[in-house]
């Protein structure tokens, strides 16, 4: 009891947080303006005020167990209104980076976040591995008259897509379990009943597919349509468009690669969905975010870490080379042309997936909805607990025999 | 003395439009038979003033009644030599024309009454005879710290001699033994040696021809009054062979400074558990020691217990401050000093983490910049919270601090090597004398007579409201005053008067506290404070030697006259004087000290036998004014007469403002300005009520803990004396409600009509004064 809750300040963590973002975290004097202007912050979760203090004190364990950074969508109201220019919004961003490295028990993401060159080397290493694999499987020049002879989709599936999918699945799942342990299991103040995991499951899917909290980032009371017209939802909708495009292409390629390599089987749905919708989403979306990051006009895009740049750049290049590859197939370019475009596409795609998905910025696609799900679970469980303890009181009256 | 009366009525500024001036002129002519009585359209113009001056020269007019605007307006114009001419201002503008309906009988009656009252007063008023004396102009400075030395130097620069008494063997005060202070100039990121400039200051004090320094000395006793203080100086350490030295002084600056709060009372914050739990002052001493008194900067701060470098230190802010059980106030410097000490830890022990547990960080003004600098240091951790417990573990030599109500929204625990209690400042305003009972209490010999036995105006009511008991102190100034040895405290032991209105004023005329004995402050503020107090003390010397009052009745040349043969030795005046101006002999006969007097007239109000008077302000003069009010015998509502005694400091100006804003005020009201409600003698109530005045309203300052009375307790005394009066009224079959006191401040002027109307309604419901026409 005596040593309960002894504060351990971690000075290295403060340095690390300063390194992975541009927040002036120590300037905060805890006025709470940020939390009061935040459209998403609640009384029980007074972020980002509390996060400013925890980060300023370097409270590693408490920060690692904190879900709040994932509940923030960086509308930037806090940073705009901060009287000390402490950039609380950017701190939440930094904390998301910290959390990605905290869930990753391998320490790889910490390396990537710490060093620009580390990230480049890691990407390059994967690219070399992919190149070697390609040469071993398909050679340096195409063998065969058709694309399917030169680059067998089965081989791509067996040696590239599926191992990758399994790898990502295993790694991400283990990281998410780590997150689950830190944020839910280790929290002694609340015990989540099993039933809740199922009944709250909808929130996981709902938030994954709608990113609805983005819309709540703007808390004025005007109608949805007015705000839509004013462009208040542009960022959210673009982000959603990009995410849906990405996910649908990823699923399609992993399971229906045959179709992508064959220009003859062209059901209309596929053309519309993948050739147009998803490709446009991917290229347009990434271009939009790149422009935002260059112009720095909105709070969300004011500061860019090197991992942010790498992620959008790779995603953009993946999209562009993918579109080129598909176009080359559809417009029946010669096999060697397609062969090399294919190779280049994979040399960009795979490093991006292997490095960015579990260890870097991509992972927020997984962590965000999961975090909202966990936060919901804990909140509901707490409510049940308080309701339970109130309900439990009458039971203390001795019952009649 | 001749009463060569001249009455001048102005008809400008709406007065002529509102009133029948001719009628007023005739009234004055009929009743007073003045040498001159005239009206003028612009009396304050050169023609009007020229005429008055001409009459003074040709006809020897020495009592000028100017019936025009308020006495607060155009003082520069109606400015005649007060020693040869009595100027009586009758306020026909703000108090009649601007607040009452024009060309109305009641308005005309109001104006007529005011004119009669002014004439009555002018007839009886005498010219002041100021007490011009050749007085000592030396300034005694008690305390040789930053404030004291600066005060002495300021005095010397202004051409005055100073005597400086310091209890320690060296000058310099608190900073003398300390290491560094915070930077006071941008960019506020470093600290400077506290002795920076101190030696220079000490040298200039010690080498000044105008300053006589007594080190190692203290005040044995002070007697006398401003301009003639007799100061006995004795060695501060007991040395029977050292002689007591006598010095004379004109005024006194008390710069006795402060002492740290007694940390032994802070057991709940762990003081005494370990040598590593120290106060901020003890930490300063440690710094000073480690730095060889500021010689070397590169030292490591080691734990006192085991000599190992400090790795983690916690500062507990507001240790015993802002706490009703200890010091209820904020000492203003502890936040800055802790931040400074934190920065020294960070500089000298770069690995050390510094935790600051605060309730509020208070770094006023530019100091905020220093706070920002320190805040941005990665090794300084601050959090708001209340320290709920400090424990010490012998086994691992660690101090554990529990903090509740933190901004982490949970309680936390800290393990540190060293804990610093940021204790506050206690003023060195004298030691409390436990063995003596509280002074300024009711004198038992007299209070036994009780209030109920005697009629209005002749009784000795029990003196002094007991609401603000004074703690008896001694050991600093050791004044030989009847009311106690030290300056009375305002609050928390700080000897102030009412610092909102009059900084540096104590309740002892000519004695000015400055620096941290007055209120908690740092050296920068102390330097400014020394300046202000020096100016005050010079002002006091110069005014007193010309026979003029100091603050707040600056330049008043009257002073109270005591007709001692008629004195009954009731001691009311000696007890009630807010400034301890009146001593007494062993029989209880007052021994007035006009130099200590601030001319408030509280003694005059107190005196049951009315032996105290001023040349132009006395029970008789105001009584005559009351008697000159025309009270119609026909008892209708319109003919109700309400007498208002308005304090000249706040209530009267408020009435003027009401006039300027043309706020309509009841024409039943007759206003008599008084120096202070405390100067109201009970005989005036008798005068008014026996004349048939229906009600009496006292408009004066707020009293109590945050009083606004310019004479500290005049309005409180008035209220207290009224308590006695009411019993007498009841015996006269008059309702106690006929007399009311309203606490009132300048900015309350919009409430005036309401206050007056309420009172008029009360009087209406009581019916007219039955003594009308007697």
């Amino acid at each position: 009891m005596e040593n309960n809750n002894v504060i351990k300040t971690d000075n290295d963590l403060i340095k690390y947080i300063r390194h992975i973002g541009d927040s002036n975290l120590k300037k905060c004097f805890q006025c709470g303006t940020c939390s009061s202007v935040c459209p998403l912050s609640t009384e029980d979760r007074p972020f980002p005020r509390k996060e400013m203090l925890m980060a300023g004190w370097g409270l590693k364990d408490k920060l690692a167990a904190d879900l709040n950074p994932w509940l923030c969508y960086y509308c930037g109201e806090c940073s705009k209104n901060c009287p000390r220019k402490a950039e609380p919004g950017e701190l939440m961003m930094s904390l998301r980076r910290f959390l990605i490295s905290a869930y990753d028990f391998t320490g790889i993401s910490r390396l990537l976040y710490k060093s620009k060159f580390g990230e480049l080397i890691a990407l390059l290493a994967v690219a070399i591995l992919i190149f070697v694999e390609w040469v071993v499987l398909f050679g340096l020049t195409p063998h065969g008259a058709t694309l399917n002879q030169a680059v067998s989709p089965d081989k791509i599936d067996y040696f590239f897509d599926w191992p990758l999918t399994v790898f990502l699945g295993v790694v991400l799942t283990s990281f998410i379990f780590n997150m689950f342990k830190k944020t839910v299991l280790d929290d002694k103040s609340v015990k989540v009943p099993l039933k809740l995991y199922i009944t709250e499951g909808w929130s996981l899917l709902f938030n994954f597919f709608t990113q609805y909290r983005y819309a709540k980032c703007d808390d004025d009371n005007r109608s949805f349509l007015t705000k839509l017209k004013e462009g208040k939802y542009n960022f959210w909708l673009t982000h959603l468009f990009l995410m849906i495009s990405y996910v649908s292409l990823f699923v399609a390629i992993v399971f229906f690669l045959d179709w992508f390599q064959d220009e003859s089987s062209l059901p209309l749905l596929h053309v519309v969905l993948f050739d147009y919708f998803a490709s446009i989403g991917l290229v347009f979306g990434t271009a939009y975010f790149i422009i935002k990051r260059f112009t720095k006009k909105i709070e969300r895009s004011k500061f860019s870490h090197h991992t942010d740049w790498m992620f959008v750049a790779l995603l953009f290049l993946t999209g562009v080379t993918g579109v080129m590859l598909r176009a080359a197939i559809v417009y029946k370019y010669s096999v060697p042309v397609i062969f090399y475009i294919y190779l280049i596409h994979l040399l960009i795609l795979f490093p991006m997936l292997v490095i960015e998905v579990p260890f870097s910025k991509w992972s927020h696609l997984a962590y965000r909805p999961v975090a909202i799900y966990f936060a919901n679970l804990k909140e509901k469980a707490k409510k049940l607990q308080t309701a339970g303890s109130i309900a439990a009181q009458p039971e203390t009256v001795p019952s009649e025999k | 003395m001749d009463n060569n009366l001249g009455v001048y009525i102005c008809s400008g500024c709406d007065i002529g439009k509102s009133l029948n001036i001719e009628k007023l002129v005739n009234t004055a002519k009929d009743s007073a038979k003045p040498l001159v009585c005239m009206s003028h359209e612009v009396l304050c113009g050169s023609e009007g003033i020229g005429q008055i001056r001409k009459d003074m020269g040709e006809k020897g007019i020495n009592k000028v009644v100017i019936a025009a605007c308020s006495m607060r307006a155009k003082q520069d114009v109606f400015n005649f030599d007060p020693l040869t001419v009595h100027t009586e201002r009758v306020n026909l503008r703000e108090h009649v024309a601007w607040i009452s309906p024009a060309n109305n009988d009641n308005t005309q009656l109001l104006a007529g009454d005011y004119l009669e009252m002014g004439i009555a007063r002018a007839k009886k008023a005498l010219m002041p005879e100021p007490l011009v004396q050749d007085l000592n102009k030396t300034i005694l400075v008690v305390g040789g710290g930053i404030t004291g030395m600066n005060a002495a130097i300021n005095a010397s620069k202004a051409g005055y001699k100073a005597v400086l008494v310091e209890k320690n063997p060296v000058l310099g005060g608190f900073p003398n033994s300390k290491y560094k202070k915070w930077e006071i100039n941008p960019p506020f990121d470093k600290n400077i040696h506290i002795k920076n400039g101190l030696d220079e200051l000490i040298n200039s004090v010690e080498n000044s021809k105008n300053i006589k320094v007594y080190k190692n000395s203290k005040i044995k006793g002070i007697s006398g009054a401003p301009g003639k203080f007799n100061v006995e100086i004795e060695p501060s350490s007991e040395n029977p062979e050292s002689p007591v030295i006598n010095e004379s002084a004109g005024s006194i600056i008390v710069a006795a400074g402060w002492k740290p709060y007694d940390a032994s009372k802070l057991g709940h914050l762990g003081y005494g558990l370990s040598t590593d739990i120290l106060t901020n002052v003890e930490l300063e001493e440690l710094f000073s020691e480690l730095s060889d008194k500021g010689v070397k900067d590169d030292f490591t701060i080691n734990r006192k217990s085991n000599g190992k470098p400090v790795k983690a230190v916690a500062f507990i802010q507001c240790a015993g401050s802002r706490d009703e059980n200890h010091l209820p106030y904020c000492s203003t410097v502890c936040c800055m000093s802790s931040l400074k000490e934190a920065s020294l830890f960070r500089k000298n022990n770069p690995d050390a983490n510094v935790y600051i547990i605060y309730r509020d960080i208070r770094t006023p003004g530019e100091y905020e910049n220093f706070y920002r600098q320190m805040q941005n240091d990665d090794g300084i951790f601050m959090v708001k919270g209340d320290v709920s417990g400090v424990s010490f573990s012998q086994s691992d030599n660690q101090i554990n601090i529990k903090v509740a109500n933190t901004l982490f929204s949970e309680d936390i625990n800290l393990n540190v090597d060293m804990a610093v209690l940021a204790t506050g400042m206690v003023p060195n305003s004298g030691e409390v004398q436990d063995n003596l009972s509280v002074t300024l209490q009711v004198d038992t010999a007299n209070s036994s007579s009780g209030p109920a036995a005697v009629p209005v105006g002749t009784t000795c009511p029990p003196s002094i409201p007991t609401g603000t008991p004074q703690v008896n102190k001694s050991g600093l100034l050791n004044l030989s005053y009847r009311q106690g040895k030290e300056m009375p405290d305002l609050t928390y032991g700080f000897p102030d008067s009412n610092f909102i209105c009059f900084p540096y004023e104590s309740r002892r005329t000519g004695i000015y506290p400055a620096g941290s004995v007055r209120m908690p402050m740092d050296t920068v503020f102390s330097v400014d404070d020394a300046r202000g107090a020096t100016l005050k003390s010079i002002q006091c010397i110069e005014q007193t030697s010309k026979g003029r009052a100091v603050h707040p009745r600056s330049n008043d040349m009257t002073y109270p006259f005591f007709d001692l043969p008629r004195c009954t030795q009731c001691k009311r005046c000696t007890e009630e004087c807010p400034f301890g101006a009146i001593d007494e002999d062993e029989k209880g006969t007052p021994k007035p000290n006009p130099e200590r007097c601030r001319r408030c007239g509280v003694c005059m109000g107190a005196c049951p036998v009315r032996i105290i008077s001023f040349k132009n302000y006395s029970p008789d003069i105001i009584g005559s004014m009351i008697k000159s009010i025309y009270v119609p015998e026909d008892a209708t509502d319109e003919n109700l007469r309400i007498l208002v005694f308005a304090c000249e400091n706040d209530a009267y100006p408020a009435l003027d403002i009401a006039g300027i804003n043309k706020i309509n005020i009841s024409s039943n009201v007759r206003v008599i300005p008084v120096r202070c409600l405390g100067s109201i003698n009970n005989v005036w109530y008798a005068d008014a009520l026996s004349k048939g005045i229906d009600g009496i309203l006292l408009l004066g300052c707020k009293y109590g803990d945050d009083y606004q009375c310019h004479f500290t307790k005049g309005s409180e005394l008035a209220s207290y004396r009224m308590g006695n009066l009411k019993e007498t009224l009841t015996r006269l079959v008059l309702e106690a409600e006929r007399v009311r006191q309203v606490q009132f401040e300048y900015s309350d002027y919009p409430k005036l009509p309401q206050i007056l109307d309420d009172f008029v309604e009360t009087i209406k419901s009581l019916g007219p004064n039955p003594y009308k026409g007697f």
Side-chain angles (χ1 to χ4, degrees), chain A residues 293-317:
Chain A
R293 285 200 181 276
F294 266 119
T295 53
K296 300 183 183 182
K297 275 189 187 146
I298 55 170
E299 290 287 339
R300 270 191 188 109
S301 314
K302 219 163 64 182
F303 305 105
S304 299
H305 190 245
H306 65 87
T307 51
D308 298 333
W309 281 120
M310 195 58 84
F311 179 55
V312 277
L314 287 177
L315 207 53
F316 177 73
L317 291 175

Side-chain angles (χ1 to χ4, degrees), chain A residues 136-165:
Chain A
V136 170
L137 287 173
F138 309 120
L140 266 173
T141 49
H143 302 285
T146 65
L147 178 62
N148 279 355
Q149 285 166 354
V151 184
S152 150
D154 287 348
K155 279 186 182 170
I156 293 280
D157 277 343
Y158 294 144
F159 294 100
F160 290 90
D161 286 0
W162 294 347
L164 173 80
T165 311

